[in-house]
Amino acid sequence: MTTQSKLYDETSDVELDLLEGDDSGDSLKGHDSERTTEGLDLEERQALRRVVGMSTELTDISEVEYRKLLLERVLLVGVWTEGSAEDAENSLAELKLLAETAGSEVLDGVIQRRKKPDPATFIGSGKVSDLRNLVASLGADTVIADGELAPAQLRNLEDKLKVKVVDRTALILDIFAQHAKSKEGKAQVELAQLQYMKQRLRGWGGNLSRQAGGRVGAAGGGIGGRGPGETKIETDRRRINTKIAKLRRSLKNMKSTRSTMRQERRRNLVPSVAIAGYTNAGKSSLLNQLTGAGVLVEDALFATLDPTTRRTTTSDGRVFTLTDTVGFVRHLPHDIVEAFRSTLEEVADADLLLHVVDGSHPDPIAQIQAVREVLAEIDATDVPEIVVINKADAADPLALAPILHREPNAIVVSARTGEGMDKLRELIEGALPQPHVLVDVLLPYERGDLVSRIHSEGSVEQLEHTADGTRITGRVHPALAGDLTRYHQ
């Protein structure tokens, strides 16, 4: 594969002008560009800023040959509107990981400094021509924008660049579609995709032609159309709405099943702990460490989408559940949050939240903020939270200090090596709801079922085997206390 440095040597004169911030072209003198970037440095406004290290590096020759045949060659483009340059580069680096997860070969990435994205072309009309030359020189067949494009922006960019253009939202939806395994997960992803697609249907040629209505053939809409006058794009939109309604009904039935299971756990007074956090932070690895669940662990974004719930016990025998939920990411599409709401309700209804953070990430605090934005959207901000800083074996201790100072209820662990896991179990046990009814009972030996329930649902402070039975002093929930009334001492 051609290396990045070689590509730069073969760039055209236009590209060199682009890198040096040459403002001789008419595209850089548009009135719209000047209005939207007022107050920024001239050099920042007049150049697409190339981000180093965006090219996908492949070392195995067979892999190179294989991927050249199958993978899309993509160019990343972002708009830096706020924050530091490091924030903008981190966002584009995350977009690179998303693109590679979706199965693309990233050729390069550029950033445009603006006050706000251009409403017509995202990066400004002057920069589009420069971007088109860069696309041609690199041989890219797809451009991925680091943001959500409006339908008009998407259409204008494709018309001017002459290659496929997708945005961050479409990329995430594509990854979700590849990784969804369960029936519920597939339905949730399809619903989100249809909601996204409905607003971006485009009419070309025959799509804008009027249907004859009732006539079968190329000129007619056939049975099921709305009659004369309906265009094909309107027919497509109506069919998408019908499919969305069908998926919503299916998900409603699946939601009732999940709610029944949740209510059964609550009826049995089983506390629940939800594991949430940024994608690829190590949530599944943490679940495996705490319960031995055997969930898929992979160094990839959104490797697991379907929630996994496992039972485990505290050191004193109390039973509780741990649920691994879908990972979050910056600017998680709203359609995804809505479609996965029934799954994310596992977090909102939990008794305790383990907020997993990737300690080795360049900007872990931004990850925490992104996750909490989604938690606020699903009304889960009131759930007690333990911040679990994972990957201690790969993290810089100096980089973890600001997080520990900012988050007093935080702990550093490594799900890979087991470091800090015993301390984490102690924190979980201390944060779980405690039974509050004090009991002192003498249970006959034939009532071993009640002894077992006290161990699993309550806490045992003292246990003694006597000639008359088992004497237990401890704390239980009110429902179990009622069943033990006749055995009180």
Side-chain angles (χ1 to χ4, degrees):
M1 185 181 69
T2 306
T3 62
Q4 188 175 5
S5 59
K6 185 176 180 182
L7 286 174
Y8 289 173
D9 292 340
E10 297 175 355
T11 51
S12 63
D13 293 338
V14 177
E15 282 188 80
L16 293 176
D17 291 342
L18 169 65
L19 294 174
E20 296 170 1
D22 185 8
D23 58 355
S24 60
D26 294 338
S27 63
L28 302 181
K29 299 180 180 179
H31 296 295
D32 291 339
S33 176
E34 290 295 327
R35 282 200 301 270
T36 57
T37 58
E38 184 178 356
L40 297 176
D41 292 341
L42 183 63
E43 182 181 355
E44 290 181 335
R45 288 186 283 122
Q46 294 187 346
L48 284 172
R49 184 166 174 273
R50 178 164 285 160
V51 180
V52 178
M54 283 293 109
S55 175
T56 300
E57 296 295 336
L58 300 176
T59 56
D60 183 76
I61 299 300
S62 62
E63 183 184 7
V64 172
E65 296 301 322
Y66 176 75
R67 295 183 71 173
K68 274 187 176 179
L69 292 174
L70 296 182
L71 301 189
E72 290 185 72
R73 296 165 56 83
V74 303
L75 173 65
L76 310 181
V77 57
V79 173
W80 169 19
T81 59
E82 58 184 5
S84 64
E86 184 180 4
D87 294 334
E89 291 183 6
N90 286 340
S91 180
L92 205 67
E94 183 177 272
L95 186 69
K96 175 192 174 185
L97 293 177
L98 288 169
E100 291 173 343
T101 302
S104 301
E105 179 186 350
V106 178
L107 302 177
D108 208 345
V110 294
I111 294 177
Q112 167 68 2
R113 182 72 165 106
R114 297 180 62 90
K115 279 287 187 181
K116 60 181 180 179
D118 182 71
T121 59
F122 187 63
I123 60 174
S125 57
K127 293 298 128 202
V128 172
S129 59
D130 298 331
L131 187 62
R132 182 174 63 246
N133 293 328
L134 186 58
V135 167
S137 66
L138 294 176
D141 48 40
T142 303
V143 171
I144 303 179
D146 189 16
E148 183 169 352
L149 298 178
Q153 291 174 322
L154 192 66
R155 180 174 63 251
N156 292 337
L157 282 174
E158 286 193 341
D159 290 343
K160 294 178 182 295
L161 298 178
K162 307 303 181 183
V163 295
K164 183 173 71 173
V165 178
V166 297
D167 59 14
R168 187 185 184 97
T169 299
L171 180 61
I172 294 175
L173 289 173
D174 182 74
I175 296 172
F176 271 58
Q178 293 180 36
H179 292 181
K181 296 294 185 290
S182 69
K183 182 178 179 181
E184 182 180 18
K186 291 178 180 179
Q188 289 168 328
V189 173
E190 186 178 2
L191 174 60
Q193 287 179 317
L194 289 173
Q195 289 172 331
Y196 173 83
M197 186 190 307
K198 184 175 69 171
Q199 306 300 325
R200 290 165 174 80
L201 288 178
R202 298 178 60 174
W204 286 310
N207 287 334
L208 295 177
S209 62
R210 301 291 176 179
Q211 307 298 305
R215 288 167 46 196
V216 179
I223 298 173
R226 288 291 178 88
E230 185 179 37
T231 62
K232 180 159 189 315
I233 193 171
E234 291 171 338
T235 304
D236 292 340
R237 186 173 289 114
R238 178 163 50 82
R239 288 172 176 168
I240 288 177
N241 286 331
T242 301
K243 181 64 174 178
I244 287 176
K246 181 179 179 181
L247 286 171
R248 288 190 186 279
R249 287 193 299 269
S250 299
L251 286 172
K252 186 176 180 180
N253 295 332
M254 298 177 193
K255 179 181 178 180
S256 63
T257 302
R258 186 178 294 277
S259 298
T260 301
M261 297 170 62
R262 193 182 301 127
Q263 290 171 3
E264 182 67 17
R265 292 198 299 266
R266 292 203 169 275
R267 186 179 68 83
N268 293 328
L269 302 175
V270 178
S272 62
V273 179
I275 303 175
Y278 217 76
T279 181
N280 205 30
K283 298 182 300 299
S284 298
S285 299
L286 194 68
L287 179 68
N288 291 341
Q289 270 281 358
L290 293 171
T291 66
V295 176
L296 169 68
V297 174
E298 186 177 349
D299 185 16
L301 305 185
F302 302 113
T304 53
L305 295 182
D306 302 315
T308 302
T309 300
R310 293 291 184 269
R311 279 179 176 249
T312 187
T313 58
T314 62
S315 58
D316 58 1
R318 286 179 292 152
V319 175
F320 67 97
T321 62
L322 273 165
T323 301
D324 177 22
T325 61
V326 62
F328 302 149
V329 73
R330 299 185 200 190
H331 314 301
L332 191 67
H334 180 74
D335 290 337
I336 282 287
V337 177
E338 285 300 313
F340 279 74
R341 183 166 291 275
S342 63
T343 299
L344 295 175
E345 283 176 357
E346 294 282 354
V347 179
D349 293 338
D351 297 295
L352 177 65
L353 171 63
L354 298 185
H355 181 167
V356 185
V357 182
D358 182 356
S360 64
H361 191 271
D363 192 4
I365 293 179
Q367 287 192 350
I368 295 175
Q369 294 172 342
V371 170
R372 286 178 175 163
E373 287 176 4
V374 180
L375 294 178
E377 196 168 346
I378 60 174
D379 301 323
T381 53
D382 295 332
V383 180
E385 177 187 49
I386 296 176
V387 176
V388 182
I389 306 172
N390 192 24
K391 303 185 182 180
D393 54 311
D396 181 2
L398 294 178
L400 301 181
I403 312 175
L404 294 172
H405 178 73
R406 175 191 175 105
E407 304 291 339
N409 193 25
I411 180 174
V412 179
V413 304
S414 172
R416 172 179 291 180
T417 65
E419 176 187 347
M421 297 306 298
D422 292 337
K423 179 63 176 177
L424 176 59
R425 290 186 179 93
E426 292 178 8
L427 288 178
I428 294 173
E429 292 178 13
L432 287 175
Q434 293 284 348
H436 59 275
V437 180
L438 180 63
V439 294
D440 183 3
V441 295
L442 180 64
L443 298 174
Y445 286 117
E446 61 268 18
R447 294 310 309 266
D449 59 317
L450 290 177
V451 176
S452 177
R453 287 185 61 189
I454 294 175
H455 278 286
S456 63
E457 299 176 22
S459 60
V460 177
E461 297 177 0
Q462 186 175 357
L463 184 146
E464 180 184 0
H465 297 291
T466 68
D468 299 324
T470 304
R471 182 170 182 176
I472 298 179
T473 302
R475 295 183 179 274
V476 298
H477 295 289
L480 179 54
D483 296 337
L484 297 172
T485 302
R486 58 180 295 191
Y487 301 107
H488 272 283
Q489 292 293 296

